[in-house]
Amino acid sequence: MGKIATDRPTGGVIGFVMSVLAALGIVIVACVQGVGIVYFADMPTAYDPLLPAIALDVVCGMLQALLFRQLLPLRYREPRAWSLLWLGLACTFVPLCGALVVLASCIWAALSPASRADDEMGDVPAPEFVTYLMSRVSHGGGARLQARLVNTKVAAADRLSALVAIQNMPTRTTGTLLRDLLADPVEDVRLIAYGTLDQAENDVMQRIFHTARTLESAESDGDRRALNRQLAELYFELIYQNLVQGVVYRHTLEQADRYARAALEIDDSDAALWMIRGRLALSNGNADEAARYMDRAQSLGFPRERLVPWLAEVEYLRGDYARVSELLASLGNAATLPMLKPVARYWST
């Protein structure tokens, strides 16, 4: 009741008197409206009696709307024009009863207000990603370290500690970042990045040199096959870890394929080597050749769920996007790699 009292225009006795006068005015106008309609309906005229009845109904409806508005709580009186319009329409088309329904609804709403928890909610803009705040995040260590490295506003000591920390991460994921750091304005960062890349490449190259020397002295076909296979895998490792670029990259592709081909000439039942040749062909942009090698790998028992992403890439290079969608959709829940899941979801929906 206290809530209703606060909604009255002037409050206290004056507000109550005005409400009573408005109610009496509504009754009087309603009586005039009813008598007038009956009068015009029974009066013999040379013109249609409906016209003056409608005019009287509209005038009385607007008067009732003005009076009914005085009975409404304050928050239901705004906006002024719209509240008068709706009350006027209700009083005109449903004389007296229409406005009474509106008034009863307003009183009911005032006595039983709805929860306004939603009113406290609002739209907020998307937060802007700021890399130099990544150090405060307690999860996603790898991403946090990389964000600190690429941000030149971070103190040099912090960037150096982050660079040392990512040395334990796979070069496959940090190779591109380390190459970008070769042009860093801080000399120590450049030196450590170069040293990390150089060490990773030297580790693989040392194994390649040792295996190549062993291959020269191999006598049996079994030994030559195993050593050629190992060399193909080592050269492929250089490509996989992003340790080679430019002309060296092309040379590494050729060497990996040469040793894989040599191993398969001795024993062509190695599904993994056919898969490596397929991925090498993909790196060369040769989709048809890659498809042939991968089909061979699958026929030799290579797991299909591991082949599907590469087969989808083959079809993408061919321009058969419907086939790409079909292949990735066939993975279902087999798309366990985090990087593969959004790709599979995009192409299968």
Side-chain angles (χ1 to χ4, degrees), residues 90-111:
C91 294
T92 299
F93 291 103
V94 187
L96 187 60
C97 295
L100 285 176
V101 171
V102 174
L103 180 61
S105 301
C106 293
I107 294 175
W108 179 271
L111 293 175

Side-chain angles (χ1 to χ4, degrees), residues 1 3 10 28 54 66 70 85 97 114 125 129-130 140 146 154 175 185 205-206 212 230 280 282 295 299 321 323 347:
M1 293 300 293
K3 187 175 184 65
T10 55
I28 294 172
I54 291 177
L66 289 170
Q70 296 300 317
L85 175 63
C97 295
F129 181 76
V130 183
Q146 294 186 43
V154 176
M205 291 304 301
Q206 288 297 326
Q230 186 176 357
L280 292 172
L282 267 182
D295 288 341
S299 67
Y321 303 127
R323 180 61 178 161
W347 282 98

Side-chain angles (χ1 to χ4, degrees), residues 18 22 26-27 34 50 64 67 97 110 115 124 128 131 140 150 156 159 168 170 186 211 220 244 267 307 329:
M18 291 187 64
I26 291 170
V27 174
L50 184 61
Q64 284 180 326
L67 295 171
C97 295
S115 174
V124 295
E128 181 181 356
T131 55
V150 299
R159 297 182 68 214
N168 296 325
V186 179
T211 306
S220 66
V244 288
D267 180 8
L307 269 174

Side-chain angles (χ1 to χ4, degrees), residues 9-26:
T10 55
V13 178
I14 297 177
F16 177 74
V17 171
M18 291 187 64
S19 298
V20 172
L21 292 176
L24 290 175
I26 291 170

Side-chain angles (χ1 to χ4, degrees), residues 137-257:
V137 181
S138 59
H139 60 276
R144 184 169 70 252
L145 291 173
Q146 294 186 43
R148 288 168 61 187
L149 278 172
V150 299
N151 184 19
T152 56
K153 295 181 181 179
V154 176
D158 290 342
R159 297 182 68 214
L160 287 172
S161 62
L163 184 55
V164 172
I166 69 167
Q167 289 180 335
N168 296 325
M169 297 175 62
T171 313
R172 166 70 176 173
T173 59
T174 61
T176 303
L177 173 63
L178 291 173
R179 291 194 180 279
D180 292 340
L181 292 177
L182 294 178
D184 195 86
V186 179
E187 183 179 5
D188 289 342
V189 172
R190 295 197 304 270
L191 290 174
I192 294 177
Y194 176 79
T196 303
L197 287 172
D198 188 61
Q199 180 180 355
E201 183 178 358
N202 284 337
D203 288 343
V204 179
M205 291 304 301
Q206 288 297 326
R207 294 166 60 190
I208 288 176
F209 294 148
H210 174 73
T211 306
R213 286 197 299 268
T214 306
L215 177 62
E216 292 175 357
S217 59
E219 297 180 356
S220 66
D221 287 345
D223 290 341
R224 284 194 295 271
R225 174 193 167 278
L227 292 170
N228 278 307
R229 187 183 197 276
Q230 186 176 357
L231 283 170
E233 291 174 344
L234 288 172
Y235 275 108
F236 183 74
E237 187 71 15
L238 290 174
I239 300 169
Y240 179 77
Q241 293 193 28
N242 294 323
L243 294 175
V244 288
Q245 287 184 330
V247 177
V248 180
Y249 178 83
R250 308 301 303 179
H251 172 73
T252 305
L253 282 176
E254 294 173 359
Q255 291 296 100
D257 189 66

Side-chain angles (χ1 to χ4, degrees), residues 282 287-288 291 295 308-325 327:
L282 267 182
D288 294 334
D295 288 341
V308 165
W310 304 107
L311 292 174
E313 185 173 347
V314 168
E315 299 303 332
Y316 181 83
L317 292 177
R318 288 173 168 174
D320 190 353
Y321 303 127
R323 180 61 178 161
V324 173
S325 178
L327 285 168

